[in-house]
Amino acid sequence: MATDVKSHPLVVSVSPHVRDEESIAKIMWTVNFALLPAFIMSVYYFGPRAVYVTGLCILTAVLSEHLFQKGLNRKITSTDGSAFLTGLLLGMNLPPSVPFYIPIVGSLVAVVITKMLFGGLGYNIFNPALVGRAFLLISWPKLMTIWSTPTAQFLAMDAKTTATPLGILKEEGAVKLMEVFGDKMSLYSHLLLGNRAGSIGETSAIALLIGAAILIYKKYITWHIPFSFLGTVAVAAWIFGGKGGLFTGDPVIHLLSGGLMLGAFFMATDYVTCPTIKKGQIIFGIGCGAITMLIRLKGGFPEGVMFAILLMNCFAPLIDRGVAPKMFGAVKKKEEKK
């Protein structure tokens, strides 16, 4: 017998029961838009090379996802912005001087191996862009660690190589870092604006913070991961980062250097690869910060954000399971005595 819905307002249906106007495409394109200030600053400082490298990453990422899905006769999702975002993030994590095959290989590893072979968006264990960068760093370590001096001239084609601030700090100490930048305030302003060597999209902290504010305002990310990540780095840098003993380190240098801002706000907060419970997200962020500083201060690399996020991606499901609230009314069974 047919049921009159109007006369029975309480209708039982399958999940999902809560719907929202947000969509994957809307979220992904908003994140891409939030990265626009940092990308503009990268073009300002590194010129056409920033457009060239990032464009190759985006084109390869979108095209490889489209061809993979078309070849397997799957639903085409390459226009939802997720492949574009993976390519954009990978491009912003590469040095501006890399040859053409580096962005292409990195994007293929990120999209095809890390994302599509695991089932597509929502099923990948690790952040695709970071896996692509890790693969490139292991395969071509020399090409991936050649850094260019920012020129602040869009049409400047020649670039001088130099070390990153973290590289100088690790190899030659804080005194040498001050000699290079003049004084502490000059160093801070260069780090904040992005006038320093580094990966294409990681140098301008202020531009990344503008993008992060957009995501927080839109409620696409919350404070839990980035603030616990940054807070742990700041505390660890202050306690252990100084050469004069405990509590003599400079947390500002570590906060504004390397890929910390890009990683904390745009990569560690990846919905798929981070914990979903707020308490777990704080633990995740603290873990990212602790591993980052362990590598920066005691490891062989001057930077540790990429490895820290990838390692903590492994623990995300366990963290969620450990902090999940107990089911209301559930009774834990007592172990039977042998």
Side-chain angles (χ1 to χ4, degrees), residues 256-279:
L256 299 180
S257 300
L260 184 60
M261 291 296 172
L262 182 61
F265 287 104
F266 292 93
M267 308 188 85
T269 53
D270 178 20
Y271 289 168
V272 181
T273 56
C274 75
T276 57
I277 301 173
K278 303 303 182 188
K279 190 187 297 183

Side-chain angles (χ1 to χ4, degrees), residues 315-328:
F315 296 103
L318 290 177
I319 294 173
D320 258 345
R321 185 178 299 178
V323 300
K326 294 180 181 178
M327 188 181 297
F328 180 75

Side-chain angles (χ1 to χ4, degrees), residues 14-336:
V14 295
S15 62
H17 303 292
V18 179
R19 297 182 183 276
D20 195 274
E21 295 181 354
E22 302 291 351
S23 65
I24 291 175
K26 186 177 180 182
I27 294 172
M28 292 298 169
W29 287 115
T30 303
V31 178
N32 284 314
F33 175 76
L35 284 166
L36 186 60
F39 178 69
I40 291 173
M41 292 301 287
S42 73
V43 175
Y44 176 72
Y45 283 118
F46 298 112
R49 290 293 305 181
V51 180
Y52 174 70
V53 173
T54 309
L56 276 178
C57 286
I58 294 172
L59 182 64
T60 306
V62 174
L63 194 60
S64 60
E65 180 167 312
H66 182 85
L67 292 177
F68 185 92
Q69 292 172 327
K70 193 173 184 61
L72 296 182
N73 199 26
R74 292 183 181 175
K75 180 183 177 183
I76 304 297
T77 60
S78 55
T79 58
D80 65 4
S82 63
F84 188 100
L85 179 59
T86 298
L88 178 59
L89 285 172
L90 177 62
M92 295 177 80
N93 273 281
L94 296 181
S97 60
V98 292
F100 74 95
Y101 55 86
I102 293 288
I104 295 174
V105 173
S107 297
L108 288 173
V109 171
V111 172
V112 177
I113 297 178
T114 313
K115 180 180 170 184
M116 302 312 298
L117 290 183
F118 279 82
L121 182 64
Y123 296 95
N124 50 291
I125 302 171
F126 300 100
N127 184 294
L130 288 179
V131 172
R133 188 182 189 280
F135 179 85
L136 295 174
L137 183 61
I138 295 170
S139 302
W140 293 280
K142 188 174 181 180
L143 293 175
M144 287 291 291
T145 51
I146 297 176
W147 310 105
S148 305
T149 304
T151 61
Q153 296 177 10
F154 182 75
L155 295 178
M157 298 299 291
D158 297 328
K160 293 169 58 179
T161 58
T162 185
T164 64
L166 283 178
I168 298 172
L169 184 65
K170 191 174 188 66
E171 298 297 331
E172 303 179 74
V175 175
K176 180 64 178 180
L177 193 61
M178 295 303 161
E179 289 180 7
V180 172
F181 287 91
D183 54 43
K184 186 168 283 190
M185 291 309 297
S186 175
L187 170 62
Y188 289 168
S189 65
H190 279 72
L191 294 178
L192 195 63
L193 294 175
N195 190 14
R196 63 174 173 91
S199 295
I200 288 173
E202 72 177 22
T203 60
S204 179
I206 187 70
L208 291 166
L209 287 172
I210 291 172
I214 294 173
L215 297 184
I216 293 174
Y217 173 75
K218 295 289 292 182
K219 298 182 179 179
Y220 289 164
I221 64 172
T222 62
W223 63 268
H224 301 82
I225 291 178
F227 280 58
S228 57
F229 194 163
L230 298 175
T232 304
V233 167
V235 172
W238 175 53
I239 296 176
F240 304 109
K243 297 295 182 183
L246 296 177
F247 306 104
T248 60
D250 188 336
V252 179
I253 294 177
H254 281 277
L255 284 174
L256 299 180
S257 300
L260 184 60
M261 291 296 172
L262 182 61
F265 287 104
F266 292 93
M267 308 188 85
T269 53
D270 178 20
Y271 289 168
V272 181
T273 56
C274 75
T276 57
I277 301 173
K278 303 303 182 188
K279 190 187 297 183
Q281 291 178 352
I282 294 174
I283 296 172
F284 182 86
I286 292 173
C288 287
I291 297 172
T292 296
M293 288 309 299
L294 181 64
I295 295 173
R296 283 185 177 185
L297 298 179
K298 300 297 181 184
F301 291 98
E303 176 59 296
V305 170
M306 175 187 71
F307 293 115
I309 296 175
L310 288 176
L311 284 172
M312 289 307 295
N313 285 161
C314 302
F315 296 103
L318 290 177
I319 294 173
D320 258 345
R321 185 178 299 178
V323 300
K326 294 180 181 178
M327 188 181 297
F328 180 75
V331 179
K332 187 176 181 180
K333 294 182 179 179
K334 294 182 179 179
E335 294 184 0
E336 296 182 359

